Amino acid sequence: MMTHSPNLVKQQSLALLTSFAFAIIINFSMSILIMPLNHQAIAQQFADNQIQSNTHPLNVATQDWRTINDTVMGGISASQVSIDNNADNSGDNSSDNSGDNNVARFYGNLSLEQNGGFASTRTSINEPLAKNIDLIRLQVKGDGRDYQLRLRTDNQWDSYAYSANFSTQKDSWINIEFSRDDFTAVYRGRSVNAPELNFENVKQLGFLLADKQAGAFELSFKDINFISAD
């Protein structure tokens, strides 16, 4: 019968314990290395989902865009809006261009004759907007002229509006963001006293050109998004 000395048994037991401890240390070390990577990926995914969930888009292609020009006051400016479902997005220098093809094009001719000088388009927002909206983000491609983004908190066609000026770059898509502080309440070109703007109360959204420069104009726009804080 084969027997083992006590020292040999101790040596074998110590070797097994050492191997087991080494395996635990290796596994623990690998988990430390992998966990930050996993946490980073999870955090990024959460951030992406959070941004998406806080964005409330207005689909320009399905909106009913109406034009209101200085003809209501005797002017002769003319404008129209068309929806291009196969728009050419070439020349887009925006880093987060969505690549969709639904683009609204507001264009026409601005005339200063007969005390005229403005052309505009607007649409009604029929769906309730989310609460706590603090930004409006949109993409525009213009002709280098200055335009106004106009908001109304009622459904009237002739009422005060909240107006924010913005500049365009000729033939280039750009992203523009507007906060509430960017808007001023105006009525027929003059500042008026009005309640503080709350984006969730917006009922109409539109664009206006009144830069006192006669001639052809064109403004394309898409990806109008209301961004809420939570």
Side-chain angles (χ1 to χ4, degrees):
M1 178 177 180
M2 183 177 295
T3 60
H4 298 282
S5 66
N7 289 336
L8 181 59
V9 172
K10 289 182 180 180
Q11 290 176 358
Q12 292 175 340
S13 299
L14 182 61
L16 289 173
L17 288 174
T18 301
S19 299
F20 182 70
F22 183 74
I24 292 176
I25 292 173
I26 292 298
N27 289 333
F28 180 73
S29 299
M30 291 299 295
S31 66
I32 292 177
L33 291 174
I34 294 173
M35 284 176 62
L37 297 177
N38 290 341
H39 287 173
Q40 183 178 8
I42 293 172
Q44 184 61 48
Q45 183 65 39
F46 176 80
D48 292 342
N49 291 339
Q50 191 73 4
I51 291 173
Q52 185 176 7
S53 64
N54 291 350
T55 300
H56 312 279
L58 179 69
N59 189 338
V60 302
T62 60
Q63 294 295 123
D64 180 20
W65 295 96
R66 296 160 291 160
T67 57
I68 300 175
N69 305 317
D70 56 23
T71 52
V72 299
M73 302 170 56
I76 59 173
S77 296
S79 69
Q80 57 184 308
V81 175
S82 64
I83 303 297
D84 192 346
N85 293 323
N86 295 292
D88 179 10
N89 289 331
S90 62
D92 191 340
N93 61 358
S94 168
S95 60
D96 61 347
N97 173 43
S98 67
D100 67 61
N101 290 324
N102 293 325
V103 175
R105 188 166 66 97
F106 171 49
Y107 61 99
N109 186 80
L110 189 71
S111 174
L112 306 182
E113 296 181 19
Q114 300 180 196
N115 295 319
F118 78 86
S120 71
T121 183
R122 71 175 78 163
T123 187
S124 296
I125 300 176
N126 298 318
E127 297 295 329
L129 294 173
K131 297 183 181 298
N132 300 325
I133 293 173
D134 56 5
L135 283 176
I136 297 177
R137 179 184 300 138
L138 58 102
Q139 286 185 291
V140 298
K141 181 172 69 171
D143 46 16
R145 300 173 72 161
D146 294 339
Y147 292 82
Q148 298 175 30
L149 174 64
R150 289 202 160 197
L151 310 175
R152 284 180 167 82
T153 53
D154 59 37
N155 290 312
Q156 303 300 316
W157 79 270
D158 186 25
S159 60
Y160 68 84
Y162 297 91
S163 176
N165 296 323
F166 64 93
S167 299
T168 63
Q169 296 179 15
K170 186 174 176 59
D171 299 329
S172 295
W173 285 103
I174 59 174
N175 289 320
I176 306 177
E177 290 185 349
F178 302 89
S179 68
R180 288 186 293 268
D181 294 337
D182 294 322
F183 291 86
T184 301
V186 296
Y187 180 67
R188 297 188 178 181
R190 296 182 179 181
S191 298
V192 296
N193 292 324
E196 182 178 358
L197 174 61
N198 190 332
F199 285 151
E200 69 180 85
N201 295 329
V202 171
K203 299 292 190 299
Q204 297 184 73
L205 178 148
F207 299 92
L208 180 140
L209 175 66
D211 63 356
K212 299 181 180 180
Q213 298 180 37
F217 68 88
E218 182 174 328
L219 175 72
S220 297
F221 54 92
K222 62 178 180 177
D223 294 346
I224 300 177
N225 293 300
F226 294 85
I227 314 297
S228 62
D230 53 33

